[in-house]
């Protein structure tokens, strides 16, 4: 009898589980507006392309910005931290190429606009920064690793 009860409980639990759903849709538009730490104004529009992939507790989307497929939007499952990263300058062999990221802490699902940090640097330095950021620490964790950064607003179009 106990085995049947445990089996039934297991079946009910499996039926009740709903996997997390991607928070954004293919074709959704995002706009970054901000100022770098050196005072340069940034304004860029990005369009999400394709399905989201999920890894390590985060969603990742490919995005088109200045160049198709050179940007990505990352968010944790609860949208406590969202990062839009533009690597379009890193395509060539330019020694001054940079990757630019706007990292925001929106007010949860359904947000329309959020303020945050504008971080930029050479591709290798930005990869190192991405590996060192503690997503659970929010913007404070990004600021602790990034150091000097600008400000940005990320808006869902």
């Amino acid at each position: 009898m106990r085995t049947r009860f445990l089996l039934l409980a297991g079946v009910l639990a499996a039926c009740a589980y709903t996997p997390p759903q991607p928070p954004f849709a293919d074709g959704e538009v995002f706009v970054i507006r901000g100022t770098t730490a050196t005072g340069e104004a940034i304004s860029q529009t990005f369009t999400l392309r394709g399905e989201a992939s999920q890894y390590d507790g985060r969603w990742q989307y490919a995005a088109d910005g200045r160049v198709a497929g050179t940007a990505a939007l990352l968010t944790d499952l609860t949208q406590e931290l969202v990062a839009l990263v533009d690597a379009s300058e890193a395509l060539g062999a330019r020694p001054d190429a940079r990757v630019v990221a706007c990292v925001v802490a929106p007010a949860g699902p359904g947000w329309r606009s959020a303020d945050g940090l504008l971080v930029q640097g050479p591709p290798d330095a930005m990869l190192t920064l991405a590996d060192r950021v503690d997503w659970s620490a929010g913007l404070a964790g990004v600021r602790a690793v990034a150091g000097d950064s600008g400000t940005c607003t990320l808006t869902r179009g």
Side-chain angles (χ1 to χ4, degrees):
M1 182 66 151
R2 180 172 184 196
T3 303
R4 283 190 201 166
F5 175 74
L6 291 175
L7 182 61
L8 178 60
V11 169
L12 290 175
C15 292
Y17 174 73
T18 303
Q21 298 300 307
F24 310 117
D26 179 30
E28 193 164 346
V29 175
F30 289 81
V31 177
I32 292 176
R33 286 191 178 82
T35 306
T36 66
T38 60
E40 177 188 355
I42 301 282
S43 181
Q44 182 68 38
T45 301
F46 299 87
T47 304
L48 300 185
R49 293 289 174 232
E51 298 281 320
S53 60
Q54 188 181 16
Y55 74 100
D56 196 25
R58 292 190 284 275
W59 292 106
Q60 178 175 335
Y61 296 81
D64 296 341
R66 285 179 236 171
V67 179
T70 60
L73 184 135
L74 307 163
T75 183
D76 56 2
L77 297 180
T78 57
Q79 297 180 52
E80 290 178 26
L81 203 60
V82 177
L84 187 49
V85 181
D86 178 17
S88 60
E89 286 188 20
L91 290 177
R94 292 179 34 197
D96 63 339
R98 66 182 177 170
V99 173
V100 177
C102 177
V103 184
V104 300
W111 62 279
R112 300 304 302 160
S113 184
D115 296 327
L117 303 173
L118 188 65
V119 182
Q120 65 177 354
D124 290 343
M126 292 296 282
L127 285 173
T128 300
L129 181 141
D131 288 340
R132 293 178 50 212
V133 168
D134 176 6
W135 279 67
S136 65
L139 283 179
V142 176
R143 189 176 288 114
V145 174
D148 196 21
S149 57
T151 60
C152 64
T153 300
L154 182 62
T155 305
R156 293 171 70 177

